[in-house]
Amino acid sequence: MDGIADMGGTQGWGRVHPPDREERVFAEDWQRKAFALAILSSRVACGGVNTDAFRHALERLDRAAYLDDGYFGRWLNGGELMLTEHSVLAPGAVEARARNLRGEDVEEPPVPEPDLPRYAPTAEGSLRSVATSPAFGVGERVRARNTSVPGHTRLPRYVRGHSGVVEIIQPAHVLPDTNAHFMGENPQYVYSVRFDSRELWGADAEPFTVTVDMYESYLETTA
Amino acid sequence: MTTTGGSDESPSVALRTEALEQLLTERGLIDPNVMDAIITRYETSVGPLNGAEVVARAWTDPDYRRRLLADGTAAIKELGFSGPQGEHIVVVENTPTLHNVVVCTLCSCYPWPVLGLPPSWYKDPAYRARVVREPRTVLAEMGLTLDDDVQIVVRDSTSEVRWLVLPERPSGTEHLTEAELVPLITRDAMVGVARVAAP
């Protein structure tokens, strides 16, 4: 999808924040629990670890839920979205409980019948082995497909349709595009493809290169 | 507790966190001990000190450095560091003429086992959006001015591959031991938005 999370090259965000070496891991107390709860909520909702499904939940949050609550708020909101989508929690259950916690007297929705996805990862993590050889070689010129898909993808908009050169062939990994939707692992080699800044941003761009790590099916030959 | 009685204002994210915790623990869906263990791991035991130990070893042991650049994951595991968001770590070396800098434009992917959880600037939309479009400008805003002849390579972490920068060892540190080097090595240098400074 072409969602809010796909930020590469977008403009209007202002200056970056200078690093603070003394920054704490969790600036506020609630962020500790929000972080852990998001991880555990995702596991409960998927019936296992599925980082791709969690990232897809994050990218489907609305603007306020994605940006305004900050990084850990976004994680909490993503966890809640997964729990309600799989009917572990009723919509509005968290808000109702939160209102009761602050002294309101709100009726909480009944607990629904959970509807967990059919999900059975073949191994822990996302590294997999595949029997085939890599389709592209180091040094080969390739093009990122110019496609927009309705679901999850890790092919960022800013490289779609652009050509680059394979720098490193990385091991095969579970394909996020299908795994996020519980539609299978479809492991593929990943390619670190190096793009020239002028190919992406035009002749006046700062001179530099950027590598983007792309699953094999994101790429096509330029010939 | 004050009774606000049907306020239109949405509950704060802190309150919603507490609410979600209650809803899941009271049904036995999550174990509070597991939750505490996750928090403790990332608040106290996994952080940039791990990465600093890796870098200091690479600076002082040429064989280790070679192994680290050839197979980052395995060399990092030699020092005992592995885990989620570190299944396959690639280490790239910064030199006087080549500067690597890491980002995740799609979320905030980061090599947790060696650097811990990402700092706020790394998660900031301004960094995520801009460093793949105008890295030299962004680095200068962050306090790192690179000469025009330094080539910049941005590493966008769009898959499960995680990137760690091996910073340049600063001159004037030749006499320091591995243990003395560790505290000099910052998180920011291992992401590529700073250099390591001599003490």
Side-chain angles (χ1 to χ4, degrees), chain B:
Chain B
M1 181 183 285
T2 44
T3 301
T4 53
S7 164
D8 281 344
E9 198 179 312
S10 292
S12 69
V13 64
L15 214 48
R16 285 191 286 116
T17 302
E18 201 181 327
L20 181 60
E21 182 188 9
Q22 278 193 2
L23 289 166
L24 294 178
T25 45
E26 70 194 13
R27 283 165 63 193
L29 292 173
I30 61 168
D31 179 347
N33 293 323
V34 173
M35 200 167 121
D36 288 344
I38 294 173
I39 295 168
T40 305
R41 174 175 166 87
Y42 289 103
E43 195 160 42
T44 59
S45 43
V46 178
L49 183 59
N50 294 0
E53 289 178 14
V54 170
V55 169
R57 175 69 56 88
W59 282 351
T60 51
D61 178 345
D63 281 339
Y64 183 77
R65 179 177 160 278
R66 269 192 289 278
R67 293 201 296 281
L68 183 68
L69 293 172
D71 183 349
T73 322
I76 286 165
K77 203 170 182 178
E78 285 179 37
L79 301 195
F81 310 130
S82 63
Q85 298 299 310
E87 262 189 289
H88 187 73
I89 301 177
V90 177
V91 181
V92 283
E93 186 176 29
N94 281 354
T95 72
T97 54
L98 181 73
H99 188 88
N100 291 276
V101 55
V102 182
V103 66
C104 169
T105 60
L106 295 174
C107 36
S108 296
C109 295
Y110 195 71
W112 289 5
V114 273
L115 296 183
L117 299 185
S120 54
W121 61 260
Y122 187 85
K123 303 178 283 192
D124 183 7
Y127 181 77
R128 286 168 53 188
R130 293 180 53 209
V131 80
V132 295
R133 187 166 184 143
E134 43 177 356
R136 200 171 287 271
T137 307
V138 167
L139 292 174
E141 277 176 34
M142 298 177 86
L144 177 63
T145 305
L146 295 174
D147 291 342
D148 286 346
D149 62 348
V150 177
Q151 261 189 291
I152 297 177
V153 185
V154 183
R155 304 292 184 175
D156 190 355
S157 317
T158 51
S159 77
E160 295 302 326
V161 174
R162 295 291 169 267
W163 297 87
L164 181 73
V165 172
L166 175 59
E168 257 184 278
R169 180 171 178 170
S171 54
T173 60
E174 295 75 13
H175 61 290
L176 297 183
T177 64
E178 186 179 334
E180 289 167 333
L181 288 166
V182 168
L184 307 181
I185 300 158
T186 63
R187 159 174 68 201
D188 302 335
M190 292 182 279
V191 185
V193 300
R195 284 203 184 93
V196 176

Side-chain angles (χ1 to χ4, degrees), chain A residues 8-10 158-159 162 196-206 208 210, chain B residues 129 132-134:
Chain A
T10 59
Y158 77 94
V159 297
H162 290 292
D196 188 280
S197 60
R198 285 156 298 190
E199 162 76 9
L200 301 175
W201 310 115
D204 295 334
E206 283 182 11
F208 68 96
V210 54
Chain B
V132 295
R133 187 166 184 143
E134 43 177 356

Side-chain angles (χ1 to χ4, degrees), chain A:
Chain A
M1 60 183 285
D2 302 334
I4 189 171
D6 186 1
M7 289 180 165
T10 59
Q11 295 178 303
W13 299 106
R15 287 174 69 86
V16 293
H17 298 299
D20 170 9
R21 198 176 171 181
E22 304 308 316
E23 178 183 316
R24 287 183 295 156
V25 177
F26 302 107
E28 294 177 40
D29 239 9
W30 63 268
Q31 294 175 343
R32 292 182 172 78
K33 285 187 171 176
F35 168 70
L37 279 170
I39 290 174
L40 295 174
S41 295
S42 169
R43 282 185 208 166
V44 168
C46 298
V49 176
N50 187 326
T51 309
D52 300 311
F54 180 61
R55 292 201 187 106
H56 188 46
L58 295 180
E59 70 187 353
R60 287 178 296 130
L61 296 172
D62 66 28
R63 194 207 64 82
Y66 189 89
L67 292 176
D68 297 351
D69 292 333
Y71 179 76
F72 292 111
R74 176 186 312 154
W75 274 46
L76 183 83
N77 297 333
E80 182 187 352
L81 176 62
M82 294 182 80
L83 291 168
T84 52
E85 281 185 334
H86 297 296
S87 297
V88 178
L89 291 179
V94 172
E95 163 137 4
R97 176 62 61 91
R99 286 180 179 276
N100 287 332
L101 281 170
R102 74 177 180 192
E104 295 180 36
D105 185 14
V106 176
E107 191 180 340
E108 298 190 12
V111 173
E113 186 61 36
D115 179 21
L116 300 189
R118 296 166 70 89
Y119 178 53
T122 61
E124 277 187 32
S126 60
L127 280 173
R128 298 290 184 270
S129 53
V130 291
T132 52
S133 306
F136 307 103
V138 170
E140 187 171 347
R141 192 153 189 87
V142 291
R143 184 164 45 231
R145 289 182 189 276
N146 191 9
T147 55
S148 175
V149 296
H152 184 61
T153 187
R154 298 288 289 179
L155 173 57
R157 266 175 294 188
Y158 77 94
V159 297
R160 292 182 198 167
H162 290 292
S163 302
V165 174
V166 174
E167 179 185 324
I168 305 172
I169 302 174
Q170 309 284 6
H173 286 77
V174 170
L175 180 68
D177 304 46
T178 50
N179 193 51
H181 300 279
F182 307 100
M183 289 166 61
E185 296 187 340
N186 296 307
Q188 300 184 357
Y189 289 103
V190 170
Y191 300 81
S192 299
V193 177
R194 191 185 280 239
F195 294 90
D196 188 280
S197 60
R198 285 156 298 190
E199 162 76 9
L200 301 175
W201 310 115
D204 295 334
E206 283 182 11
F208 68 96
T209 57
V210 54
T211 63
V212 178
D213 298 332
M214 287 186 283
Y215 295 84
E216 193 164 273
S217 59
Y218 295 178
L219 297 172
E220 56 193 7
T221 52
T222 53

